[in-house]
Amino acid sequence: TTMAKRWLRPKGYDEVTYIDQFDAIALGELPAPESEHVTSHAAAAKRTLDEVIIAGLEGTAYIGEDGTTAVDLGASQKVAADYVTSGSAANSGLTLAKLTKAKYILDKNEVEADGRYFVHSAKQLSDLLVNVVEIKSSDYNNVKALVDGVVNRFMGFEFVMTELLTLDSSTDVRTCIAYQKEGIALGISQDKTVKIDIRADLNHTVQIRTVLMIGATRLEEERVVLVYCDESP
């Protein structure tokens, strides 16, 4: 039986930090600075994981026997930066119209309502809180957004904020992502591993090394929508 397949190519990530014997004194760190650096490495690993997933959602997927046939998101899975429901098109930040359009695209593709996420940056949250009356009304949103300054869930999406989303510096347009969780596959060839060693060959410097090997790919274009938002002042 012929089966549709997506290629997923994991990539290795390697981060190394060296702690000199005198760092604890010269830099005023704690007696065991390794703990701070290990925590920093863990945070960096999580950011790398986010970056890989984002790239998998918005980037090019590959199919075919040799994994060389590229599959990109079509125009029907994108909401333009100048999208409006009526009137003259003009670039804007995140609007209710764009959110509604993203929801409609997923609905039209018969994507499950459960497990939908909307990934955005801080600027899009600001646009919603300042400009969209509905997001601040308990009639539309059971989360009182103005109390905590956050939007947890709206229009069936669980909102996730990150500054790691792609930003076109030439146009100030941010690529936000609406997706359903079954639309992305994450492959972990080697889970995060942290090792602390004393390097006798480097004057007994303490070496902290974190490695992981991961990759991600989009599984179904119908489950992913790119929403472009202008972040210009």
Side-chain angles (χ1 to χ4, degrees):
T1 301
T2 302
M3 303 290 289
K5 296 181 180 179
R6 294 290 171 109
W7 285 74
L8 193 155
R9 299 180 173 92
K11 177 183 176 183
Y13 297 86
D14 191 335
E15 181 69 22
V16 177
T17 298
Y18 297 103
I19 303 176
D20 186 84
Q21 183 176 355
F22 301 112
D23 279 352
I25 299 173
L27 301 179
E29 294 196 36
L30 297 174
E34 294 90 337
S35 57
E36 287 188 27
H37 290 293
V38 170
T39 301
S40 176
H41 276 225
K46 290 180 180 179
R47 288 194 300 272
T48 299
L49 186 63
D50 289 342
E51 291 170 343
V52 169
I53 292 174
I54 290 170
L57 284 167
E58 68 177 38
T60 301
Y62 290 92
I63 61 175
E65 290 187 6
D66 299 320
T68 56
T69 302
V71 179
D72 293 309
L73 276 175
S76 62
Q77 297 297 121
K78 298 178 181 179
V79 180
D82 62 354
Y83 175 79
V84 292
T85 53
S86 62
S88 301
N91 276 19
S92 63
L94 184 59
T95 63
L96 185 61
K98 290 182 179 180
L99 276 174
T100 304
K101 179 66 173 179
K103 181 182 184 303
Y104 167 74
I105 293 172
L106 294 178
D107 290 344
K108 189 173 183 297
N109 292 337
E110 297 186 338
V111 174
E112 301 93 325
D114 182 55
R116 291 186 182 185
Y117 295 86
F118 187 82
V119 189
H120 60 93
S121 75
K123 184 63 169 64
Q124 282 74 61
L125 176 61
S126 175
D127 291 338
L128 283 177
L129 294 178
V130 173
N131 300 314
V132 181
V133 175
E134 290 81 1
I135 201 74
K136 297 175 284 189
S137 171
S138 58
D139 293 334
Y140 288 83
N141 187 1
N142 58 10
V143 178
K144 293 181 175 58
L146 289 184
V147 176
D148 299 322
V150 297
V151 177
N152 296 326
R153 190 170 181 83
F154 188 61
M155 294 191 69
F157 292 107
E158 183 173 335
F159 277 58
V160 179
M161 185 166 64
T162 176
E163 295 300 309
L164 297 175
L165 290 168
T166 301
L167 175 65
D168 188 335
S169 58
S170 64
T171 61
D172 282 334
V173 172
R174 177 83 67 177
T175 302
C176 298
I177 307 172
Y179 74 100
Q180 199 274 340
K181 63 182 182 180
E182 301 299 333
I184 182 74
L186 173 67
I188 302 177
S189 296
Q190 179 177 323
D191 207 350
K192 183 189 69 173
T193 303
V194 181
K195 293 184 177 180
I196 302 177
D197 300 300
I198 296 177
R199 293 285 302 274
D201 59 322
L202 294 176
N203 297 326
H204 294 87
T205 295
V206 175
Q207 174 184 281
I208 303 174
R209 183 174 182 233
T210 300
V211 297
L212 69 160
M213 193 171 189
I214 54 176
T217 185
R218 189 174 55 250
L219 291 179
E220 292 183 46
E221 280 61 51
E222 293 78 10
R223 295 177 184 269
V224 181
V225 179
L226 301 185
V227 181
Y228 298 99
C229 298
D230 194 342
E231 293 194 353
S232 300

